[in-house]
Amino acid sequence: MSTSDLQVTRKSPVTTVAAILGLIVLITLVAAPYWAGRADMRLMGEIFLYLALASLWNLMAGYAGLVSVGQQAYVGFGGYMLFALTMFGGLHPIGAIAVAGVLGAVIALPVAFLIFRLRGAYFAIGTWVIAEVFRLSFAQVSALGGGSGSSLPVGIVRSLASSRAGREHLSYWLALASAVIVIAAVYFFMRSRSGLALMAIRDNEMAAGSLGIEIWRTKFIVYIVTSALTAMIGALIFLQKLRISPDAAFSVNDWTAFVIFIVVIGGIGTIEGPIIGTLVFFLLRETLADLGTIYLMVLGVVAIVLMLKAPKGIWGLIRSRFDLELFPLSYRVKPNKPLRKC
Amino acid sequence: MPEPILKISGLDAFYEDFQALYGIDLEVAQGEVLAIIGANGAGKTTLMRSISGLTQNKADMVTFRGDRIGALRADEVAEKGIALVPEGRQLFPSLSVEENLLIGGQIGRKGPWSLSAVYELFPILQERRNQQSTSLSGGQQQMVAIGRALMANPDLILFDEISLGLAPIIIKDIYAALPGIIGEGMSALIVEQDITKALSVSQRFYCLQEGRVSLEGASATVAREDISRAYFGVE
Amino acid sequence: MDWVNAVVQGTLLGGLYALFAAGLSLIFGVMRLVNIAHGDFIVLGAYLGLSVTTLLGLHPLVALLLVVPAMALIGYVLQRGILNQTLGKDILPPLLVTFGLSVIIQNGLLEVYSADPQKMNAGALETASVPLGGLSLGVLPVLTFGIAVAVIASLQWMFYSTALGRAFRATSDNQEIAQLMGLNRRHIFGLAMALALGVTAIAGILLGIRTSFDPSIGGGRLIFGFEAVIIGGLGNLWGTLIGGVILGVAQTIGAKIDPGWQLLAGHIVFLAILAVRPNGLFPRINE
């Protein structure tokens, strides 16, 4: 058998079917305002925003090895930028979301230079310090309500769309778009040269040494881009909430703990993991939320047990059993002709 | 032959994901010095790891004084009376010379070896007792590594490549000290690249090739050609 | 004189931060584990102290006799039962597992004790003070600082002059070779975590006498301890005390300038030191 009989490809029948199904699901979701109730759309909007946050955290921790427990810094920063830019800059909310992303990238630069000095777990706590600095700093800005926060003026809310239904549809589509854009961005990044290099170091430590400086730069870029996108999603989140305060904006539980649980439960280091994790997370939340603190303890236990017994999460379990991949990322060798036993 | 102190039977062992040993059978008699020779990658280090418990296998693959120890952890094997002088010496860099020796003895087995006995064997170590172990020369570090293993008063001592990376004169000194070390009723297993050295201090030898025993015999009478055939696998 | 007072009070506060940090530093030194739940264990120690004092009517400092062994036991069981399984080349499992623990402890405390702020009653000790050259030194802060110095001196002695400390250092250097010496690393790590949580119990009770506490404050205590460790330099216990003092002084001086600046000033000094000396002021471990 010569090598020309073999073809290296990322595609498999499963990924093609997944792409078609994905497209159908996407069209159905885009059309949600025509078939879903208001409460459902609100819930779905929240699901998409968490999916976007989880995919971004997964890109950093699962692919680039940057485990952050401080992404709430950028969620809150984005939220506050939305308020500041619309209230004092006179920007349209949609424009403000875009500018919040740019500013998120700008502020992430000096932050990255500082905390990239910390290794591994200390990097994680360093990110938390940064989030605390952000929280305490915004609590000092009296124009934004100081420690008690402020609400988005009605005029700015109206500028989004005149009717309430129009605003709700728009926020829903924005949330859906953010999830789609983030997943697509992660997917195409992981197929790029830099993404492949990241996967190489994740899978093989020997390769890490020889790629040294380029890896550092790639991680740096991942951090900046993730921060910018997280800030945009933060702006979107608080555009829906219409009210911001330092404690809500920089909550480690809401914007980091839940996100980490989603990724760990779904499967870290895969694109599919955060999607499954988000669905499971909201399923648990909708059924167990009445339990309050017990629900959070259950989440903690589930995450620990999964980390110990199935570190690749639910998707890892499925994948190891069926060798499935919905997003064509890894290469597989496929024979052009049927193989004969040699 | 009396009941062997160490008996290995049908040992299959893995180094990371690769199978490194295939069905090894081997015996060490009480008080015997046994040499293990073989080329790089023949499985010598995996054999040492399997005996000392750093690699855990099936319980009955390794028997020591009648106990099935193949599945025990390294610390449990150490308590049974097996000590390893590891390849590359592997001293504890944050411990002083004396602390390295003391930690070898912390297992608390009774026997002839103590701090003063080790210092008597290697007087230079007493002079350097408070230095960081990594500040010593290679030969002195090897003395610490040997002393550290002796402090456990083992019944069986394993030497893994003790001459690796040392100057010939120092290798000579260390080999000159070996009979005095092993003479106390201890059994020893010596892994060595230098075949002549290995055969000169041992009574019997085993040669490993690609994870299997390719030759065994008495060290004093073996023919050179037989060894090179067993060593390199050339016909 | 006000500024001198701020520096002195900050120094004494630094003792408490050094106690927050000592356990963190110890377990990192022995097993390279960073415990994200460390702050929540401090708070757990405070709540255990509260229960012991209210149920048995003991003075908080006497309660230490029960809470320290209890926390040490929790530490040992936790390490043997869960954390040992997470140790390895990959840093994710220990991080995420301790993060999960943090959420469990926090919400467990909420469930048992509610979100209401609590405080331990230490009687006259809370308000007693001694005059010193125009300053008034609270007996409790001075006692806390004294305990911090004593704890760090004992840890230092234990680490460098006892068989246990030798075993800790050997296992930290090379786990495999330490196993060959008959040291069971799982047990050694269990002992290290027991010791760390024992110290954490002391920190928690002193915290609970000094200020009111609620289940949500663990994260903040973790950060103070972490900052003290990094400022002082990884693996250096006395450095950790100095790190705690620098952080404490930064906070009291910040608070003097503007009450809202207390915590921010501490973080900014930490980030400034990180920018100038990434390995801290007195590093011992080169990572």
Side-chain angles (χ1 to χ4, degrees):
Chain A
M1 192 176 78
S2 72
T3 47
S4 63
D5 295 337
L6 294 173
Q7 185 192 348
V8 177
T9 175
R10 280 164 161 155
K11 279 196 197 147
S12 72
V14 176
T15 62
T16 315
V17 172
I20 296 168
L21 280 178
L23 201 63
I24 295 170
V25 169
L26 187 59
I27 292 168
T28 317
L29 288 176
V30 170
Y34 302 99
W35 56 264
R38 276 179 46 201
D40 295 334
M41 267 172 53
R42 238 191 123 65
L43 179 63
M44 285 195 289
E46 202 187 346
I47 291 175
F48 297 142
L49 291 173
Y50 264 104
L51 174 54
L53 286 179
S55 298
L56 287 171
W57 190 85
N58 178 50
L59 173 64
M60 284 210 309
Y63 288 117
L66 297 166
V67 185
S68 164
V69 293
Q71 283 315 90
Q72 68 273 22
Y74 297 101
V75 173
F77 178 82
Y80 266 104
M81 284 306 108
L82 170 81
F83 278 54
L85 291 167
T86 51
M87 285 160 69
F88 311 123
L91 260 63
H92 186 270
I94 308 267
I97 291 172
V99 177
V102 175
L103 292 175
V106 170
I107 193 94
L109 278 171
V111 168
F113 273 112
L114 269 180
I115 58 172
F116 269 53
R117 292 157 177 260
L118 296 165
R119 292 266 151 264
Y122 280 102
F123 172 86
I125 308 180
T127 61
W128 199 346
V129 173
I130 297 293
E132 280 300 288
V133 170
F134 278 30
R135 180 177 69 85
L136 294 165
S137 304
F138 279 103
Q140 291 293 305
V141 183
S142 49
L144 288 165
S148 51
S150 62
S151 299
L152 206 58
V154 183
I156 293 171
V157 179
R158 290 252 163 86
S159 72
L160 209 53
S162 49
S163 73
R164 183 167 166 184
R167 284 197 296 275
E168 280 169 358
H169 294 174
L170 186 59
S171 343
Y172 170 83
W173 281 320
L174 285 172
L176 175 60
S178 71
V180 172
I181 289 170
V182 164
I183 291 174
V186 172
Y187 171 65
F188 285 108
F189 175 75
M190 291 321 296
R191 286 180 71 128
S192 72
R193 214 181 103 76
S194 301
L196 289 175
L198 276 187
M199 281 211 266
I201 47 162
R202 189 191 58 177
D203 296 342
N204 180 358
E205 280 186 53
M206 289 284 278
S210 61
L211 292 167
I213 196 77
E214 193 187 329
I215 288 303
W216 192 90
R217 201 171 6 163
T218 305
K219 286 185 169 190
F220 192 83
I221 292 169
V222 166
Y223 184 81
I224 304 292
V225 171
T226 309
S227 303
L229 290 172
T230 305
M232 290 174 72
I233 291 161
L236 253 178
I237 288 172
F238 285 93
L239 182 61
Q240 298 197 335
K241 291 190 185 288
L242 302 178
R243 199 186 144 63
I244 199 163
S245 70
D247 289 343
F250 299 98
S251 161
V252 63
N253 272 340
D254 290 350
W255 312 129
T256 294
F258 292 164
V259 166
I260 292 181
F261 287 149
I262 287 172
V263 177
V264 171
I265 289 171
I268 193 165
T270 60
I271 293 185
E272 295 88 346
I275 301 176
I276 292 175
T278 309
L279 293 177
V280 172
F281 175 82
F282 277 90
L283 206 67
L284 281 175
R285 198 183 79 170
E286 295 303 303
T287 47
L288 297 177
D290 296 343
L291 296 174
T293 53
I294 302 252
Y295 158 65
L296 291 170
M297 292 170 75
V298 169
L299 263 189
V301 172
V302 168
I304 289 177
V305 169
L306 269 176
M307 204 68 226
L308 295 179
K309 303 292 174 203
K312 290 283 165 206
I314 294 173
W315 181 245
L317 286 177
I318 297 173
R319 199 173 160 173
S320 66
R321 196 140 308 164
F322 304 108
D323 188 30
L324 271 182
E325 198 179 46
L326 300 183
F327 288 85
L329 266 188
S330 44
Y331 287 99
R332 40 188 88 216
V333 179
K334 189 179 97 173
N336 281 337
K337 296 180 211 151
L339 280 178
R340 270 181 303 133
K341 280 260 161 84
C342 308
Chain B
M1 192 163 145
E3 181 62 19
I5 186 165
L6 179 79
K7 186 169 161 53
I8 293 175
S9 41
L11 173 65
D12 290 325
F14 294 79
Y15 186 76
E16 289 174 358
D17 291 339
F18 303 102
Q19 182 161 3
L21 296 176
Y22 300 85
I24 299 285
D25 294 311
L26 180 153
E27 287 182 0
V28 183
Q30 178 78 48
E32 184 183 35
V33 178
L34 187 77
I36 308 284
I37 58 176
N40 268 333
K44 307 187 300 279
T45 295
T46 305
L47 179 61
M48 288 294 167
R49 291 180 62 90
S50 295
I51 298 171
S52 62
L54 290 177
T55 298
Q56 286 162 267
N57 302 295
K58 294 208 183 79
D60 52 6
M61 286 179 173
V62 186
T63 314
F64 180 64
R65 290 191 316 192
D67 292 337
R68 303 186 309 151
I69 62 163
L72 296 185
R73 290 192 314 264
D75 55 301
E76 296 166 326
V77 172
E79 272 172 34
K80 298 273 181 198
I82 296 181
L84 169 67
V85 182
E87 183 182 342
R89 306 179 279 278
Q90 310 247 35
L91 302 182
F92 297 111
S94 43
L95 271 57
S96 69
V97 168
E98 185 157 302
E99 283 180 320
N100 264 286
L101 295 174
L102 285 172
I103 205 143
Q106 67 92 35
I107 209 162
R109 288 173 54 88
K110 297 269 176 297
W113 292 102
S114 62
L115 210 50
S116 53
V118 172
Y119 286 150
E120 203 175 310
L121 180 67
F122 301 120
I124 185 76
L125 297 187
Q126 185 156 25
E127 275 173 44
R128 304 272 160 99
R129 55 196 275 189
N130 291 322
Q131 285 186 21
Q132 288 291 289
S133 49
T134 42
S135 68
L136 302 185
S137 71
Q140 290 163 355
Q141 287 192 29
Q142 191 58 273
M143 292 172 194
V144 179
I146 294 172
R148 186 177 64 178
L150 291 173
M151 287 289 288
N153 281 302
D155 296 328
L156 172 66
I157 186 166
L158 316 174
F159 294 97
D160 196 356
E161 307 276 10
I162 47 173
S163 59
L164 205 70
L166 297 181
I169 176 104
I170 297 180
I171 298 173
K172 204 167 146 246
D173 283 354
I174 284 182
Y175 270 92
L178 273 192
I181 294 167
I182 303 167
E184 311 265 352
M186 223 182 261
S187 310
L189 220 155
I190 295 183
V191 164
E192 188 56 83
Q193 295 257 339
D194 183 336
I195 300 169
T196 317
K197 276 274 176 299
L199 295 180
S200 71
V201 291
S202 61
Q203 282 105 49
R204 289 190 309 126
F205 74 93
Y206 284 75
C207 184
L208 295 187
Q209 189 199 325
E210 289 173 2
R212 293 179 171 85
V213 175
S214 55
L215 186 68
E216 59 171 291
S219 304
T221 55
V222 64
R224 274 282 143 163
E225 312 83 80
D226 292 342
I227 288 204
S228 37
R229 195 177 307 129
Y231 197 96
F232 298 109
V234 285
E235 287 300 317
Chain C
M1 209 61 203
D2 276 3
W3 292 101
V4 177
N5 187 47
V7 171
V8 172
Q9 303 301 343
T11 306
L12 296 180
L13 179 61
L16 185 62
Y17 292 166
L19 283 174
F20 290 170
L24 209 55
S25 187
L26 180 78
I27 53 169
F28 182 80
V30 175
M31 60 186 116
R32 299 290 179 273
L33 173 87
V34 175
N35 181 4
I36 299 272
H38 186 73
D40 303 289
F41 279 110
I42 295 173
V43 180
L44 176 64
Y47 274 108
L48 289 181
L50 181 73
S51 288
V52 169
T53 50
T54 47
L55 290 177
L56 304 179
L58 295 175
H59 189 275
L61 293 182
V62 182
L64 279 174
L65 295 176
L66 289 174
V67 179
V68 170
M71 289 284 285
L73 183 67
I74 292 173
Y76 187 84
V77 171
L78 182 73
Q79 186 68 39
R80 297 286 315 240
I82 297 177
L83 294 177
N84 273 336
Q85 298 176 53
T86 68
L87 297 178
K89 273 186 203 151
D90 191 356
I91 64 151
L92 257 174
L95 256 174
L96 298 185
V97 167
T98 55
F99 194 75
L101 277 176
S102 158
V103 172
I104 293 172
I105 296 170
Q106 222 179 90
N107 288 286
L109 290 175
L110 266 175
E111 192 66 25
V112 178
Y113 295 98
S114 86
D116 300 335
Q118 306 274 2
K119 202 175 162 305
M120 256 179 278
N121 185 357
L125 179 63
E126 291 178 33
T127 49
S129 63
V130 286
L132 185 90
L135 296 174
S136 169
L137 295 184
V139 171
L140 180 64
V142 173
L143 182 70
T144 303
F145 191 84
I147 291 175
V149 172
V151 163
I152 285 179
S154 334
L155 285 179
Q156 188 82 10
W157 171 79
M158 181 280 305
F159 221 66
Y160 291 100
S161 311
T162 67
L164 180 63
R166 203 156 61 212
F168 280 158
R169 281 180 289 143
T171 311
S172 169
D173 279 350
N174 188 330
Q175 295 183 19
E176 277 206 334
I177 304 297
Q179 291 270 121
L180 289 175
M181 304 296 125
L183 299 169
N184 179 2
R185 66 169 175 224
R186 295 186 180 93
H187 175 63
I188 297 288
F189 289 163
L191 291 179
M193 188 55 89
L195 198 61
L197 286 200
V199 172
T200 302
I202 300 174
I205 286 192
L206 289 170
L207 169 77
I209 301 174
R210 185 188 172 100
T211 55
S212 61
F213 53 93
D214 67 72
S216 71
I217 66 164
R221 307 318 106 177
L222 165 71
I223 288 178
F224 294 156
F226 158 75
E227 288 176 332
V229 170
I230 300 284
I231 293 173
L234 282 182
N236 184 342
L237 281 166
W238 288 116
T240 298
L241 179 64
I242 297 171
V245 167
I246 290 174
L247 186 64
V249 170
Q251 288 188 358
T252 48
I253 287 184
K256 185 108 194 55
I257 298 166
D258 179 332
W261 276 76
Q262 181 182 351
L263 299 182
L264 206 48
H267 295 322
I268 287 168
V269 166
F270 160 73
L271 292 176
I273 290 174
L274 185 62
V276 184
R277 295 283 297 265
N279 290 323
L281 299 177
F282 315 100
R284 196 168 241 144
I285 298 171
N286 291 318
E287 274 291 297

